[in-house]
Amino acid sequence: MQWLSESLLNVLLTTSNLIKRGEFAHAHQSLSNVQKYLLWLIRITIDKTQYWESPTKSLEKDIDSTWYSAYETVTSDLQPENICSSFENSLKLTEKLFEQLNVEPKLKEILNRIK
């Protein structure tokens, strides 16, 4: 889980920098990596890791509506305002997952700096 959390922070930082530079198509692509790591952490949280290699496989059946709705908020089209909103929602969902999974405080501090 340490590696997943660190990798998620890395792609969040990358996405943040792309948004700041106005590279919204690139940020949109980077958000797909954010989504992948978020789904892996969601699957760990709810103990549904049978489709580890493809975290979206059977997602509608594997996770409850609360987690599915949270996942929906981190997806976006190519509109800059929607990319920014999805990114902000990704930060909030990461914070929630880090709390539930008891991620080490050092990583939570890094997340707060990205915000």
Side-chain angles (χ1 to χ4, degrees), residues 78-91:
L78 278 168
Q79 296 301 312
E81 61 275 5
N82 295 337
I83 290 170
C84 292
S85 177
S86 294
F87 177 72
E88 290 298 320
N89 290 333
S90 296
L91 293 171

Side-chain angles (χ1 to χ4, degrees), residues 8-89:
L8 175 55
L9 289 172
N10 186 49
V11 294
L12 284 168
L13 182 58
T14 299
T15 306
S16 174
N17 288 329
L18 292 168
I19 289 170
K20 288 175 185 173
R21 291 196 306 256
E23 295 183 40
F24 292 103
H26 196 170
H28 181 266
Q29 186 275 328
S30 188
L31 271 174
S32 68
N33 290 323
V34 170
Q35 294 160 7
K36 177 177 62 174
Y37 288 109
L38 287 170
L39 284 177
W40 278 327
L41 290 176
I42 289 170
R43 285 184 171 279
I44 288 171
T45 301
I46 63 172
D47 196 29
K48 293 282 188 175
T49 58
Q50 68 271 29
Y51 296 119
W52 190 256
E53 67 285 348
S54 181
T56 55
K57 184 173 182 171
S58 296
L59 192 66
E60 298 81 0
K61 291 184 254 177
D62 282 355
I63 67 175
D64 68 30
S65 61
T66 302
W67 285 114
Y68 195 85
S69 293
Y71 173 70
E72 282 182 310
T73 70
V74 304
T75 63
S76 179
D77 57 23
L78 278 168
Q79 296 301 312
E81 61 275 5
N82 295 337
I83 290 170
C84 292
S85 177
S86 294
F87 177 72
E88 290 298 320
N89 290 333

